[in-house]
Amino acid sequence: MTRTPARADAYAHELRAVARHMGRRRFLTTTGAAAALAFAVNLPSAGTAAAEELDGRRITEDPFTLGVASGDPLPGSALLWTRLAPRPYETGGGLPAGTRATVTWELAHDERFRHGLRRGTAVAHPEFDHSVHVEVDGLAPGRDYFYRFLVGDWSSPVGRTRTAPAPGARPERLRLAAVSCQAYHDGYFTAYRHLADEDLDVVFHLGDYLYEYAVNATGGARAYTDRRLPDVFNRETLTLEDYRLRYALYKSDPDLRAAHAAHPFAVTWDDHETENNYAGDTPENFVPPEEFLIRRAAAYRAYWENQPLRRPQRPTGPDMRLYRRLRFGRLAQFDILDTRQYRSDQAYGDGWQTPGPASEDPARTMTGATQERWLLDGWRDSRATWNVVPQQVVLCERRNVPTPAYKLSMDSWDGYPASRQRILDGAAAAGVENLMVLTGDVHVAYGLDIKEDFRDPSSRTVGTELVTTSISSGKNGSERPANYDNLTRANPHLRFYDGRRGYLTVTLGADSARADFRTVSAVTTPGAPVSTAASFVTEAGRPGLQPA
């Protein structure tokens, strides 16, 4: 790989971070002479010249091409995001190299910014690809706010956000959405346009915000007639520059921008934000771990730069603490998981395999020990009616055929049954009565009852798992996929299955929760309508799904 000076600096920074992750001795032993030389030469920081302040009046093209976003609502605080990119398909967003810009942010009670106006400034640094993360504190709980950014003569689109209720509040209801899996090359993000029109408190993105695969000049399934994509997207993402440009491609989609502007998002990743089916520091293919960690560092940095995340989530090299907790008064506690960064490698080479001693090893973990303790401790301290776990891969057992010769997905919790049992036992020990798991990953919608013992269909139901389908991944899909009969017969706890694209909405109340599976008729052509494929209710204190 040929490295320009900028790419060389980024490479050296990532090597230093990887060295800290692995330990200097192991790093020098495993990376070989070339990498060790780069490490030794670049370990002392050579320093770089301070970025030059860019006069906003010199920005002659709209710098807010990637829109605005808010995230992780707290009772008295909002997190606001934007990124300056007048030419988003160019390195650095088309801004002059080595320049920083001062951005003004405004927040008010009304869209015209006449009432309750708050204002401040933030610096868009080139080191973070001119992204801005603003944490506005001192706000009222449970209230809508409108926000925008200004630089030079340019004003961003207006976004709406909503703070969480006060810690002791008991709101009558909370309405959320869950989304996942938005392959740009598979179709239009039509579902997001409909999502933008929903009345929601928060949207949980459960992973695969982007895909690392090459996108050809015509955008794959998208029917481009007026323009072709630059060749920079027709390659797999490997470097920091690659990941930054790929986020620019995805965030240039108007429907995605509309959804972000309409609602606060709470995001977590799955695999494709880095690489398909990676596990911890183990890549999909036969690449040395130290080389993969450099790629992971690039992917994690670009993820933070392009998502509405708070300061504690800012990564250090190949490490980023993405698991975190949000509370909405006494109604709901959300424990957002990361099931990629800390997991054991998939058993039996990944894929759908016959379970056995390797997959059932009690030492295997999906979350890592620290995150597991954090989750169980949080449940013991919870006073919420609903304990909701937004996470990535299917928790419930899924046998592929209704015969003794069944196989299970080694990439889901079925490949980590001991880890799953520790989680379910911990919920029971903490007295969690209303456990709800939100899941993405599989490009279909499921409604599942979480069983005390999946081997015994008559065992007690201990919670509910709601799996949202993809926004576009898998193209149009179908109402009844080819494996519908086998899967529904093999898994009696599977209460609903639909293979079309869309999203999930959930309305939490004091006495019950309602789930609506929303689907669009097509994603390979734009403008498809949305409809509700099915609705279910689960009652507080009585886990299990019932048709609404």
Side-chain angles (χ1 to χ4, degrees):
M1 177 174 66
T2 301
R3 295 190 179 90
T4 63
R7 290 167 78 103
D9 288 345
Y11 181 72
H13 171 81
E14 290 159 7
L15 282 173
R16 289 194 294 270
V18 170
R20 289 193 296 270
H21 179 95
M22 299 181 67
R24 179 184 172 93
R25 178 171 295 179
R26 180 182 169 211
F27 179 85
L28 291 172
T29 301
T30 59
T31 57
L37 178 61
F39 172 74
V41 169
N42 290 290
L43 185 58
S45 176
T48 57
E52 175 189 354
E53 177 73 23
L54 175 64
D55 185 343
R57 291 171 295 183
R58 290 175 54 194
I59 301 177
T60 59
E61 299 174 82
D62 180 9
F64 298 110
T65 58
L66 306 182
V68 299
S70 67
D72 282 15
L74 300 179
S77 176
L79 183 284
L80 312 179
W81 173 94
T82 194
R83 183 184 146 210
L84 304 183
R87 297 180 184 177
Y89 296 172
E90 296 181 9
T91 299
L95 292 175
T99 59
R100 67 182 188 274
T102 298
V103 179
T104 298
W105 58 266
E106 293 182 340
L107 182 142
H109 296 312
D110 65 304
E111 289 185 86
R112 296 187 177 183
F113 294 83
R114 293 176 177 174
H115 304 288
L117 181 66
R118 297 272 299 275
R119 175 181 289 179
T121 60
V123 177
H125 292 282
E127 292 85 355
F128 294 106
D129 212 22
H130 297 102
S131 62
V132 174
H133 299 72
V134 176
E135 298 186 30
V136 185
D137 298 324
L139 303 179
R143 180 156 189 177
D144 284 0
Y145 289 91
F146 296 89
Y147 64 95
R148 65 186 176 189
F149 297 90
L150 305 101
V151 61
D153 295 328
W154 299 97
S155 178
S156 75
V158 174
R160 183 200 70 89
T161 193
R162 182 176 292 171
T163 54
R170 297 180 181 271
E172 291 185 5
R173 71 161 208 168
L174 183 154
R175 195 158 189 263
L176 64 92
V179 296
S180 73
C181 303
Q182 51 198 51
Y184 186 93
H185 53 275
D186 272 0
Y188 292 91
F189 295 169
T190 307
Y192 274 132
R193 178 62 59 177
H194 298 294
L195 185 78
D197 294 331
E198 300 268 8
D199 179 15
L200 301 170
D201 294 281
V202 63
V203 176
F204 289 94
H205 198 296
L206 305 176
D208 294 346
Y209 193 95
L210 58 71
Y211 282 71
E212 76 277 26
Y213 306 133
V215 180
N216 65 28
T218 60
R222 294 184 176 221
Y224 275 92
T225 57
D226 58 342
R227 64 185 175 93
R228 292 169 64 84
L229 295 178
D231 287 339
V232 294
F233 301 117
N234 196 18
R235 64 189 185 216
E236 185 169 346
T237 53
L238 295 172
T239 67
L240 180 57
E241 178 185 356
D242 293 336
Y243 285 106
R244 284 170 166 173
L245 287 169
R246 192 61 55 89
Y247 279 105
L249 174 64
Y250 276 61
K251 284 181 171 290
S252 68
D253 182 272
D255 294 336
L256 175 57
R257 294 201 309 270
H260 271 300
H263 312 296
F265 273 56
V267 301
T268 187
W269 55 39
D270 195 13
D271 52 341
H272 289 289
E273 288 90 350
T274 302
E275 182 192 46
N276 178 56
N277 281 19
Y278 80 95
D281 62 1
T282 303
E284 178 184 25
N285 298 311
F286 299 101
V287 174
E290 60 276 6
E291 184 176 330
F292 174 69
L293 284 173
I294 295 172
R295 178 179 183 177
R296 199 177 91 173
Y300 285 12
R301 183 183 182 93
Y303 185 84
W304 186 82
E305 291 172 346
N306 286 279
Q307 298 290 10
L309 289 163
R310 294 180 178 270
R311 282 188 294 269
Q313 277 62 64
R314 181 172 157 179
T316 302
D319 302 314
M320 179 171 168
R321 176 166 169 166
L322 197 56
Y323 64 89
R324 60 205 190 278
R325 182 168 292 121
L326 299 176
R327 295 183 176 92
F328 282 68
R330 296 289 296 272
L331 183 60
Q333 175 173 298
F334 296 93
D335 296 293
I336 304 169
L337 299 189
D338 173 0
T339 63
R340 281 293 162 190
Q341 189 175 179
Y342 314 105
R343 67 159 65 188
S344 307
D345 193 15
Q346 293 91 341
Y348 301 117
D350 206 357
W352 287 78
Q353 306 290 346
T354 301
S359 61
E360 294 170 357
D361 183 350
R364 290 175 53 73
T365 179
M366 178 67 89
T367 62
T370 301
Q371 183 179 194
E372 182 179 299
R373 285 195 302 271
W374 167 86
L375 176 61
L376 302 188
D377 289 345
W379 278 341
R380 282 193 288 269
D381 295 337
S382 175
R383 298 297 180 265
T385 300
W386 299 94
N387 285 277
V388 186
V389 183
Q391 54 97 53
Q392 295 77 18
V393 295
V394 177
L395 176 82
C396 288
E397 185 176 87
R398 283 181 304 151
R399 301 184 182 191
N400 67 329
V401 291
T403 68
Y406 64 86
K407 294 182 178 181
L408 302 173
S409 169
M410 294 295 106
D411 190 57
S412 72
W413 287 83
D414 276 339
Y416 306 77
S419 187
R420 174 174 60 198
Q421 196 59 52
R422 289 193 297 271
I423 296 297
L424 295 181
D425 289 347
V432 173
E433 294 184 347
N434 301 308
L435 173 63
M436 179 178 290
V437 176
L438 303 178
T439 300
D441 182 54
V442 288
H443 309 170
V444 297
Y446 295 140
L448 299 124
D449 291 341
I450 304 174
K451 306 299 288 186
E452 188 174 47
D453 183 356
F454 288 106
R455 295 167 298 181
D456 179 7
S458 65
S459 68
R460 190 166 61 97
T461 297
V462 297
T464 298
E465 182 172 15
L466 302 171
V467 181
T468 183
T469 187
S470 63
I471 292 292
S472 63
S473 302
K475 300 183 180 178
N476 293 332
S478 62
E479 182 176 359
R480 290 202 169 195
N483 67 345
Y484 182 91
D485 287 339
N486 273 335
L487 215 62
T488 52
R489 289 171 55 207
N491 303 283
H493 54 282
L494 176 59
R495 308 297 302 279
F496 174 71
Y497 180 16
D498 191 295
R500 291 171 289 185
R501 306 297 141 244
Y503 56 91
L504 168 75
T505 64
V506 179
T507 303
L508 300 176
D511 300 320
S512 64
R514 177 189 174 102
D516 294 297
F517 292 93
R518 305 277 278 161
T519 59
V520 294
S521 56
V523 296
T524 54
T525 55
V530 68
S531 61
T532 299
S535 300
F536 291 87
V537 170
T538 179
E539 297 180 12
R542 297 181 60 187
L545 291 172
Q546 301 296 329

